[in-house]
Amino acid sequence: MAVLAPLLALLYSAPRLSRWLARPYYLFSALLSLSFPIMRKAPPLCLGLPTQREDGNSCDFDWREVEILMFLSAIVMMKNRRSITIEQHMGNIFMFSKVANAILFFRLDIRMGLLYLTLCLVFLMTCTPPLYMGPEYIKYFNDKTIDEEIDGDRRITWLVEFFANWSSECQSFAPVYADLSLKYNTAGLKFGKVDIGRYSDVSTRYNVSTSPLTKQLPTLILFQGGKEVLRRPQVDKKGRAVSWSFSEENVIREFNLNELYQKTKKLSKQREIVEEDEAAPVPGEKLSEEAECKKDK
């Protein structure tokens, strides 16, 4: 029950859960996460399993197993306090459940623990979390186009996400960033992304670490006039990222997206009016020979 409780608590806020579990990654993650409780509680599988219960019932948790599962629930609840999307909630549950399952299987039998660990490694190498494929107004850069776009028209403000596909934090933030691009994209405020896991020279150029232990992924940088004016998370003097929550509210507030949206929207309208005025003929101006011919016809 300690493992099932966090899953059941999320059902009311996760209408897409059934659709996720239909995907191989989430389906196999759920099976691996529930493998020990299923084996311990399901009657022909639990018969003959070693147990420390006084009554010798091998189809029920002993006190040490309950203790481990309760500790797992406490860790998951603490980690999920900082989670901002349902994907992050589920990712934390799956990750810590697998760790707890490995400990419990090794406690039963080292052979069962090794088998479970092998299954987890095979799953890790063959199954990856599904990437976000929803609607967005985002331009994807490579190592050459990022500088060209940012420096090309300095009237455009760019909000650029530096990400890596292997980072679970980046994958969880993807739908949030896509939603922001749909709400705030204008001709003067644009959204971009660059995969620094693929283009390592970009990470060096913009001082974003790609280490598996880094807390700099994802990194959001705001460019105005071709220059960086703000980034989150910030990096201290020792090169360590300052903890920051990538929620939609935080991004809107820190980067002043509401103000930037209104400002760039007005500038875009003014630019369109100026361009229309420049294209319109001036009254009294002598028509060109081509225009006079068309007029005579």
Side-chain angles (χ1 to χ4, degrees), residues 9-230:
L10 289 172
L11 287 177
Y12 78 97
S13 61
R16 295 176 295 171
L17 186 60
S18 59
R19 185 174 60 187
W20 290 344
L21 293 179
R23 299 177 181 178
Y25 175 82
Y26 293 111
L27 178 60
F28 288 119
S29 286
L31 290 175
L32 286 172
S33 300
L34 296 172
S35 56
F36 183 84
I38 291 173
M39 181 168 286
R40 177 58 90 182
K41 299 295 290 186
L45 297 174
C46 62
L47 299 176
L49 290 178
T51 181
Q52 294 183 5
R53 290 179 60 89
E54 294 180 358
D55 58 4
N57 182 8
S58 62
C59 290
D60 202 358
F61 299 113
D62 60 40
W63 66 274
R64 180 63 70 181
E65 291 168 349
V66 172
E67 194 176 56
I68 292 172
L69 293 174
M70 292 299 292
F71 184 64
L72 161 69
S73 299
I75 292 177
V76 169
M77 285 189 289
M78 290 177 62
K79 288 290 293 183
N80 279 345
R81 289 174 60 187
R82 298 185 59 185
S83 300
I84 57 175
T85 64
I86 198 67
E87 288 87 355
Q88 286 180 319
H89 284 279
M90 298 303 298
N92 288 333
I93 292 173
F94 289 149
M95 180 177 66
F96 289 105
S97 296
K98 291 171 189 173
V99 172
N101 275 269
I103 295 171
L104 291 167
F105 276 121
F106 271 108
R107 182 173 172 271
L108 281 183
D109 190 326
I110 189 171
R111 292 170 296 180
M112 296 178 68
L114 290 173
L115 176 61
Y116 181 79
L117 195 60
T118 302
L119 290 174
C120 288
L121 290 175
V122 171
F123 169 77
L124 185 65
M125 290 186 293
T126 57
C127 256
T128 56
L131 300 177
Y132 176 78
M133 299 299 290
E136 59 185 24
Y137 284 140
I138 298 174
K139 186 174 183 63
Y140 285 80
F141 302 128
N142 57 36
D143 53 344
K144 297 178 181 178
T145 59
I146 181 170
D147 293 330
E148 294 175 358
E149 290 289 342
I150 292 174
D151 294 330
D153 188 346
R154 301 208 167 189
R155 296 173 297 180
I156 297 175
T157 297
W158 282 96
L159 183 61
V160 181
E161 178 194 353
F162 295 78
F163 75 102
N165 279 327
W166 51 260
S167 169
S168 59
E169 296 292 332
C170 294
Q171 292 170 0
S172 299
F173 182 63
V176 177
Y177 191 62
D179 187 53
L180 290 170
S181 72
L182 294 172
K183 292 178 180 177
Y184 292 97
N185 182 76
T186 66
L189 174 60
K190 295 186 178 181
F191 292 76
K193 292 181 75 169
V194 58
D195 185 357
I196 58 175
R198 182 179 180 184
Y199 305 108
S200 56
D201 56 329
V202 177
S203 67
T204 304
R205 205 183 312 160
Y206 290 93
N207 298 317
V208 180
S209 174
T210 56
S211 167
L213 301 177
T214 186
K215 293 184 179 180
Q216 294 187 44
L217 291 175
T219 287
L220 287 178
I221 300 181
L222 185 70
F223 295 93
Q224 289 181 323
K227 297 181 180 179
E228 177 184 335
V229 296
L230 181 67

Side-chain angles (χ1 to χ4, degrees), residues 225-286:
K227 297 181 180 179
E228 177 184 335
V229 296
L230 181 67
R231 81 161 58 195
R232 290 292 182 274
Q234 292 177 307
V235 179
D236 60 22
K237 295 180 180 179
K238 295 183 180 180
R240 296 175 301 189
V242 179
S243 180
W244 193 71
S245 177
F246 281 88
S247 65
E248 184 170 338
E249 295 77 12
N250 279 354
V251 175
I252 293 172
R253 182 177 64 254
E254 290 290 321
F255 291 92
N256 294 320
L257 290 186
N258 289 322
E259 182 180 341
L260 283 173
Y261 176 76
Q262 296 299 330
K263 182 179 178 180
T264 55
K265 197 173 181 181
K266 290 179 181 178
L267 290 175
S268 299
K269 289 182 178 179
Q270 292 174 1
R271 194 183 309 170
E272 290 176 1
I273 293 172
V274 171
E275 290 175 353
E276 288 177 0
D277 291 342
E278 290 177 351
V282 179
E285 184 178 1
K286 186 177 180 180

